[in-house]
Structure formats: structure tokens, C-alpha cells
Amino acid sequence: MDFKDKIIDWYRIYHRELPWRNTTDPYKIWLSEIILQQTRVKQGLPYYLKFSEAFPTIIDFANASEDYVLKLWEGLGYYSRARNMHKTANHIVDKLGAEFPKSYADLIQLKGIGDYTASAISSFSANEVHAVVDGNVFRVLSRIYGISTPIDSSLGKKEFKNLASELICSNNPGLFNQSIMEFGAIQCTPKNPKCESCPFEDSCIAFAKNQTDVLPIKKNAIKQRTRYFEYLILINENQTIIKKRTEKDIWQNLFDFPLIENPSPKSEEQIIEQLNQIITTSFKVASVTAPIKHILSHQKLWVRFWKLMVPDLVIFKNKDLIVSFEDIDEYAFPKVVDNYLSIHELE
DNA sequence: AAACCGGGGCT
DNA sequence: AGCCCAGGTTT
């Protein structure tokens, strides 16, 4: 029995039931695929249900504001996915007659869709023969075939794409693609793969050589930057100041508070010095949090929140927005800010 | 080719 | 603490 039959047989027995399977609607598949980019099924599932309900069709999606799309996306991370989805929804409605593309050639031209996502949607919705190569496929193939080419090199991407394209079941490419990814997610896991109950136990090169813990190979070594954020929660009666992050930085188009960023850690006394320079009116420090560590994939943030009572709210920049406490949950905030707001009642 | 872009869960 | 997740875009 060859690779494709083994992997599909495994899938028929062990796969999970998920709401975006059993449909060939490319719109619904697109929703699920974008949400699941670099995101585990367990984390993405509630967002898929939320988006499906809020936007039953591509037209509903396009009619929404970007701010509302980001509000629904709040907490999921990699917010460019939401911004690109909104642009793509409008493009499809305005330029493609609201008909969601099904072919790889058309899909690959859309914002936010690369080789993986175009292969996934076209194979699931139209049975086009395009092999998906995601993190699961890299892992499964590198182990079973004993391939040590780094998966984050251009040569590696080409090599694994070619191999997956040779192995794919041309009669049912969608089922094959689902199968190999599900196999990677459930059986051939990154840590502690279930090799003792694996249908490839007799043929897997990594298992034979005891190399499952080193394959797949990554060149990796991403260095991350440390930043120090002091958020100013300026309060007058039942109002505060927020601003939209329009600059080219993390959390683009989300909202947060007036921010002092320092290149090195500062004491509370030093921050109060800075506050005296910036805030022209009198103010009283009602509370300050201990530094909160917030890890991103490429940055380490130390975040403090300063609750400051002021006699009136002075606009620092024209991006600033005065909002009352009861309206604040209309806006999309980064997780670390949202966490603060849910713990500390503003009053 | 390398850097950038979140947040969560597992080990 | 380190790694990885149904990746893609920008530099």
C-alpha cells in the first residue's frame, strides 16, 4: 500500500469532526484557512464560529467596517490577516461579482493568500490537484522520508512541495491534503509523536534512526527585541483617551492608550518625571501596575499601566480620541491592553 | 534570504 | 524558557 492510501485510511478512522469540513463553499473554507494560519484548531474554532455567524456571506464581510472586523478578530493575533481579509472581501464583491474564486490561479492573486492557502481552498472546494505544504506536512514528510533539508530555506520549501506533489492522490486531492495535515496534528506531533501506533512504523526513516526529535530541521535563530511600554490611562469623570495605532508597527489599526516608550527600563520615579514633562495640567497617580511581561513571536514587551486622574482631558495628538467608559469595549485592543481593561474596572 | 507580524498551549 | 501552530508580506 502506498503513501496516499495509508494516510487516507488513517484519516478515515481518526480525523476530528470540524465545521469547515463537509463543505465545498470556498468562502467558508477561506474563513477557516485564514483563521488557522499559524493558529491551532482549538484556538481558532471559536473565531470561525463567530465570523460565520457575523458574516454568512462574502457580501456581509465586505459591508462591515475594518474596525468591526478587527474587533471580532481581537485576541487572535497576526492582525494583518484580518486587514487583508477585509480588503479581499471588498475586492471580490466589487471586482469579481461577489463570486468567491475556486481555482488556484485566481486564489493566489488575492491579498493574504499564498501557496498553502491557494492549494488548500482549490483542493477542498474544486478538487484541484495542488499539494498543501504547511507545518504538519513539513514534519510528516521530513520524518517518514528522512529529509534533513532545512524547512525554512528556499531549497527546502521547493523540495517538500515537490515531494508532496508526487505523493498526492490525484483522484481525491482534497481528502489527501486533509489527511496528511490531520496526521501531523494528531499522530506525528512535534513532541512525543505516537510512533508505537503509527501506520508508518515499519517504513519511517526518522523512527528507524531515532531522529524524530531532530526532524524537521530549522535554521531558526530569530532574535527578539525588548521594549518598555508605559500606558497612560488618563481619567476625567467617566472619560479617557484612546488612540488608533496607524503607524507601521505591531498592532496596526488596533486601539490603545497614550504611550511612553523607553529604550531601557525605568523606575517609577523616572516615569513620573517624564509624566511631568508631558502632561501640562495637574495629575494624580491613582494606581500603577507592576511591569507585565507580554511575549510576541519577535518582541518581548514590559508593560505598565498608569491610572492618572486629571482635571480635563488634553488631546496630545490628532489621532487621540476621547471616549466614555461604557463605549470602550466597542474598540479592538491588543491582548495585553484588553486584559488590563477586563481586570481593572475604569471608574 | 531575512525580517516582520500575536497569542496560546505544551513540554 | 523554548518550541510550534492548517503562513504571508515586506524589505
Side-chain angles (χ1 to χ4, degrees):
Chain A
M1 193 160 58
D2 58 14
F3 183 90
K4 67 175 189 293
D5 294 322
K6 261 189 184 176
I7 206 89
I8 289 173
D9 284 353
W10 178 92
Y11 179 83
R12 291 190 195 283
I13 299 171
Y14 297 106
H15 74 271
R16 298 163 290 185
E17 291 298 333
L18 296 169
W20 49 82
R21 292 178 176 156
N22 310 318
T23 179
T24 58
D25 178 1
Y27 167 67
K28 289 292 177 56
I29 296 169
W30 171 71
L31 276 183
S32 72
E33 290 301 336
I34 304 296
I35 287 171
L36 292 174
Q37 285 172 4
Q38 295 293 286
T39 305
R40 290 175 190 280
V41 167
K42 186 177 180 184
Q43 188 188 4
L45 180 53
Y47 286 85
Y48 173 81
L49 298 174
K50 186 160 60 169
F51 272 80
S52 297
E53 186 174 349
F55 309 132
T57 71
I58 186 74
I59 297 174
D60 301 310
F61 202 123
N63 283 341
S65 67
E66 187 193 83
D67 283 344
Y68 183 58
V69 172
L70 285 170
K71 180 63 190 174
L72 290 184
W73 199 270
E74 183 181 46
L76 194 56
Y78 283 157
Y79 296 93
S80 66
R81 293 183 290 172
R83 297 192 299 269
N84 285 334
M85 283 182 104
H86 188 242
K87 285 179 198 150
T88 290
N90 277 285
H91 174 77
I92 291 173
V93 170
D94 294 342
K95 304 289 169 84
L96 305 182
E99 186 151 339
F100 207 103
K102 287 185 170 186
S103 72
Y104 180 96
D106 292 338
L107 289 162
I108 195 68
Q109 300 184 41
L110 300 175
K111 204 86 174 161
I113 295 185
D115 176 72
Y116 164 77
T117 307
S119 299
I121 299 176
S122 64
S123 66
F124 299 156
S125 69
N127 260 322
E128 282 194 11
V129 185
H130 291 279
V132 294
V133 182
D134 72 335
N136 292 306
V137 177
F138 278 125
R139 187 170 56 254
V140 170
L141 295 184
S142 73
R143 286 175 176 168
I144 293 179
Y145 290 89
I147 300 169
S148 51
T149 313
I151 62 173
D152 54 351
S153 66
S154 54
L155 178 63
K157 291 186 205 311
K158 206 178 303 177
E159 188 173 347
F160 283 95
K161 178 77 180 183
N162 287 340
L163 176 55
S165 302
E166 290 175 19
L167 296 172
I168 194 171
C169 173
S170 56
N171 293 326
N172 206 334
L175 180 61
F176 174 89
N177 282 339
Q178 295 273 13
S179 300
I180 189 169
M181 289 194 288
E182 189 79 340
F183 182 80
I186 293 178
Q187 186 83 25
C188 194
T189 48
K191 305 290 179 188
N192 304 322
K194 302 185 174 96
C195 299
E196 66 288 347
S197 65
C198 178
F200 297 94
E201 187 180 0
D202 294 334
S203 55
C204 177
I205 291 178
F207 181 67
K209 294 184 175 179
N210 201 18
Q211 289 182 337
T212 56
D213 55 338
V214 297
L215 291 176
I217 304 282
K218 264 195 180 181
K219 295 186 298 182
N220 77 68
I222 57 151
K223 48 178 178 270
Q224 65 172 1
R225 179 159 71 116
T226 303
R227 303 170 72 176
Y228 302 88
F229 283 11
E230 312 289 343
Y231 273 123
L232 313 185
I233 321 290
L234 296 157
I235 293 178
N236 175 247
E237 296 183 351
N238 72 330
Q239 292 185 314
T240 188
I241 293 178
I242 65 173
K243 65 175 178 55
K244 195 168 189 173
R245 296 181 58 87
T246 55
E247 62 274 24
K248 184 172 151 38
D249 196 359
I250 55 173
W251 304 328
Q252 191 175 113
N253 290 7
L254 274 70
F255 290 82
D256 62 359
F257 294 97
L259 172 64
I260 299 175
E261 178 173 0
N262 290 308
S264 59
K266 304 290 184 203
S267 67
E268 294 189 6
E269 290 73 21
Q270 288 174 302
I271 301 301
I272 290 173
E273 274 302 306
Q274 294 182 323
L275 293 177
N276 281 319
Q277 304 290 326
I278 295 169
I279 302 177
T280 54
T281 65
S282 65
F283 66 90
K284 179 174 175 295
V285 179
S287 66
V288 57
T289 65
I292 299 163
K293 183 168 68 170
H294 189 69
I295 303 288
L296 309 182
S297 56
H298 48 291
Q299 297 184 20
K300 182 194 292 183
L301 309 181
W302 288 99
V303 182
R304 264 188 301 214
F305 292 91
W306 296 77
K307 189 171 170 183
L308 305 172
M309 316 309 282
V310 293
D312 57 335
L313 292 173
V314 179
I315 300 292
F316 294 119
K317 300 172 182 171
N318 50 17
K319 297 282 171 51
D320 290 352
L321 205 59
I322 296 181
V323 297
S324 55
F325 297 161
E326 63 258 31
D327 293 335
I328 205 158
D329 60 353
E330 300 292 319
Y331 300 88
F333 294 98
K335 192 64 181 173
V336 65
V337 176
D338 192 45
N339 283 347
Y340 174 84
L341 289 173
S342 60
I343 294 168
H344 300 75
E345 296 285 316
L346 295 185
E347 54 187 9

